[in-house]
Amino acid sequence: MYNKKRQKFDWPFALAGGDALAIGISLFLTLQGLRAASHLPASPLPWRETAAYLIFIALFFRRSSLYSWRAFSSRGLLPLRIILVLGGAGLTFLGCAYLFGEEQTGSSLLAKWTGIQTLCAFLLVWGTRFFLRYLIMDRFSLIPQEIISFVGWSPAMKRVLEGYRQEVGRFQQVAGYFEAGPAPEEGFPSLGPIEEMERTVSARGITLLIADEASLGTERIHTLSVAASRALVYFQMIPSWVDIQSRRVRTRTVAGIPVLSLTGVPLDFLLNRILKRAVDIVGALVGLAISAPLIAVMAALIKAESPGPAFYRQVRVGKEGRLFQIIKLRSMRLDAEAAGGAGWTVSDDPRRLRIGAFIRKWNIDETPQFWNVFKGDMSLVGPRPERPEFVSGFNRNIDHYNLRHHYRPGMTSWAAIHGLRGNTSIEDRLSYDRYYYENWSLPLDFRIMFRTLLPPKNAY
């Protein structure tokens, strides 16, 4: 998101160079250490396995957003993501080593090499990135500050400015707005009429002008872009169709004409779908094994409080609109919907069992859905599935709602860990669901699963 045209150097290249140096040093240290410990006369691993490791680790790093502004600027430096990337690359390397089948390389030595190398690489990569961040951002202040101005006000403009504040942080300052179109609802200072833009941006040192097409119109946008080019100010436009389907937009030049198109999301690629499904199968088997005793205890408590089945089956809408039966531990009375029919669960819902309040607070009622995940009805992570009675109304009243059914629903979701569950805004949930699919990665899935273990919000 940061304006690369005003950088004093190429920080993604600095990150890549630092990672390459760290990986190279870790390889050398690990090889030399194992050679000395094993009394081997030469390197304990042949060159083909080492080359495969370097290739795979480069691919894993590239596909895991480790060269984004957020990865560079965050003080945490995304340690969990680095661990997952290095671990995945290490396991891939180990598989390649066994596939090549070098006779002089023992399996125990390969496994030992992989573990030590992964740990050493993590420490060096993390340390190198932390040191680079300190030198570039804190010690020498090589990242210039972005001075932002904007024209036109809308909910989209508000979100863009908030996004800059979150992603760029102290390296951005909103100078104010030029008077054209709707005035902002918040207390941004006025920079004067739009006609004085060229003089004002020069005097105030403004580096970026953002315009909202929906509130200004196409002709005025063209005039602004020309004025911005004369003032040597970086110009960005929020298109009027920003919410049409996806926020992943790509610009392509055809016959000299720029054409905007909506790009595919990560799970449109076969390899990503295979990886996600593999994690689902393994996670479902592990989840069933771990949760089986807990499910048995909770089922006994449910039957002791309320005669009837301990499990609750309900029809939900899944991938491509297919219906399936979701399985949950029953947390409500048997006659919960006898009077009012289908409805959201609310705070202090009188329909809940006493044990139901506890199991819903800690998501224990969802544990039988590991079976749905194993069968392929659901995924560990994805938008929560809704009932057909609700979906038909949402499709009529909420634009692009049905896009969430392109993929499997999940036991937990990006929206759920942010408290968007139960009687909360469907539009907000849809926004979070779209963010999840447009930014999907295995590290994001693991992050959501980890946060699901914490006490959730709005778990009635």
Side-chain angles (χ1 to χ4, degrees):
M1 204 169 199
Y2 189 78
N3 181 5
K4 296 180 180 179
K5 297 179 68 175
R6 297 186 61 83
Q7 290 174 210
K8 297 179 181 179
F9 72 104
D10 190 345
W11 56 261
F13 180 78
L15 284 187
D19 290 344
L21 178 63
I23 296 297
I25 293 175
S26 70
L27 278 169
F28 175 79
L29 293 177
T30 306
L31 292 174
Q32 296 305 313
L34 282 180
R35 183 176 65 178
S38 305
H39 305 290
L40 296 176
S43 296
L45 293 176
W47 66 269
R48 286 191 295 185
E49 284 88 337
T50 304
Y53 174 76
L54 293 174
I55 291 172
F56 275 103
I57 205 169
L59 292 174
F60 273 73
F61 267 56
R62 184 65 178 173
R63 292 295 301 273
S64 300
S65 302
L66 284 171
Y67 299 108
S68 65
W69 170 258
R70 183 180 178 187
F72 176 60
S73 62
S74 172
R75 286 196 177 274
L77 298 176
L78 308 181
L80 176 61
R81 178 169 292 186
I82 294 175
I83 291 174
L84 292 172
V85 169
L86 288 170
L91 291 175
T92 305
F93 155 78
L94 189 59
C96 289
Y98 279 109
L99 182 63
F100 290 138
E102 294 285 354
E103 295 180 0
Q104 69 268 31
T105 306
S107 58
S108 61
L109 187 59
L110 277 173
K112 186 186 298 183
W113 191 97
T114 303
I116 296 175
Q117 158 62 21
T118 300
L119 177 61
C120 185
F122 166 70
L123 293 175
L124 287 172
V125 168
W126 192 11
T128 301
R129 283 178 168 242
F130 191 85
F131 182 66
L132 283 174
R133 184 190 183 284
Y134 168 73
L135 290 179
I136 294 167
M137 301 179 71
D138 300 327
R139 181 67 178 85
F140 296 107
S141 301
L142 297 179
I143 303 294
Q145 190 177 56
E146 189 85 271
I147 309 299
I148 302 173
S149 62
F150 63 93
V151 187
W153 185 254
S154 68
M157 178 65 76
K158 179 180 179 180
R159 287 163 60 185
V160 166
L161 295 177
E162 290 176 348
Y164 267 109
R165 186 180 303 115
Q166 293 173 5
E167 294 193 22
V168 185
R170 62 188 173 94
F171 296 99
Q172 65 84 26
Q173 173 190 344
V174 179
Y177 69 97
F178 289 101
E179 297 172 1
E185 301 168 356
E186 303 181 16
F188 294 103
S190 171
L191 299 175
I194 192 66
E195 291 76 17
E196 298 181 11
M197 187 197 73
E198 292 185 53
R199 180 183 61 80
T200 304
V201 297
S202 177
R204 300 287 296 268
I206 292 171
T207 60
L208 172 63
L209 174 66
I210 309 174
D212 183 76
E213 183 187 26
S215 59
L216 296 176
T218 305
E219 290 188 12
R220 203 165 220 179
I221 287 290
H222 174 72
T223 302
L224 280 174
S225 67
V226 173
S229 66
R230 286 199 300 262
L232 296 179
V233 174
Y234 191 54
F235 180 76
Q236 292 181 351
M237 181 193 73
I238 302 173
S240 57
W241 47 271
V242 65
D243 286 325
I244 183 171
Q245 283 185 344
S246 169
R247 298 183 186 94
R248 298 174 65 91
V249 181
R250 178 170 61 93
T251 302
R252 179 186 177 192
T253 302
V254 180
I257 304 297
V259 178
L260 298 180
S261 62
L262 303 175
T263 64
V265 299
L267 286 176
D268 285 343
F269 297 95
L270 178 62
L271 177 60
N272 289 339
R273 294 200 302 272
I274 292 174
L275 288 174
K276 185 171 176 62
R277 183 59 186 149
V279 171
D280 284 344
I281 293 173
V282 174
L285 291 174
V286 173
L288 286 170
I290 293 176
S291 63
L294 180 62
I295 292 174
V297 171
M298 291 298 116
L301 293 175
I302 291 169
K303 291 184 71 67
E305 181 179 349
S306 173
F311 295 96
Y312 178 62
R313 289 174 173 82
Q314 192 178 70
V315 176
R316 298 290 178 97
V317 180
K319 182 181 179 181
E320 306 299 341
R322 292 191 291 268
L323 302 181
F324 71 98
Q325 282 199 336
I326 197 172
I327 308 173
K328 305 177 70 172
L329 283 168
R330 183 165 62 90
S331 60
M332 299 279 189
R333 302 193 314 264
L334 288 177
D335 61 348
E337 295 185 349
W344 301 114
T345 307
V346 297
S347 179
D348 299 321
D349 199 313
R351 301 174 300 169
R352 290 182 313 186
L353 302 174
R354 291 191 301 273
I355 187 64
F358 172 78
I359 65 176
R360 291 180 73 91
K361 178 181 179 180
W362 293 97
N363 290 322
I364 298 173
D365 60 322
E366 313 285 0
T367 50
Q369 292 165 33
F370 283 120
W371 178 246
N372 289 115
V373 174
F374 182 74
K375 288 171 56 183
D377 296 328
M378 298 174 63
S379 176
L380 292 174
V381 182
R384 290 293 296 157
E386 296 288 359
R387 300 173 65 170
E389 307 93 288
F390 296 148
V391 170
S392 59
F394 296 155
N395 276 334
R396 289 193 302 270
N397 301 320
I398 301 175
D399 293 341
H400 317 302
Y401 178 82
N402 212 35
L403 293 176
R404 72 199 302 272
H405 295 128
H406 276 315
Y407 310 98
R408 288 186 180 93
M411 288 183 64
T412 185
S413 70
W414 182 242
I417 65 172
H418 286 87
L420 294 171
R421 50 190 289 168
N423 192 22
T424 55
S425 168
I426 300 301
E427 289 83 356
D428 290 344
R429 286 196 225 176
L430 180 60
S431 177
Y432 275 80
D433 290 340
R434 286 168 57 181
Y435 174 89
Y436 167 73
Y437 279 123
E438 291 167 8
N439 297 274
W440 176 87
S441 66
L442 282 180
L444 178 60
D445 271 2
F446 288 121
R447 176 185 172 190
I448 293 171
M449 285 186 273
F450 173 76
R451 288 186 58 178
T452 302
L453 300 177
L454 303 176
K457 301 176 182 178
N458 300 326
Y460 305 137

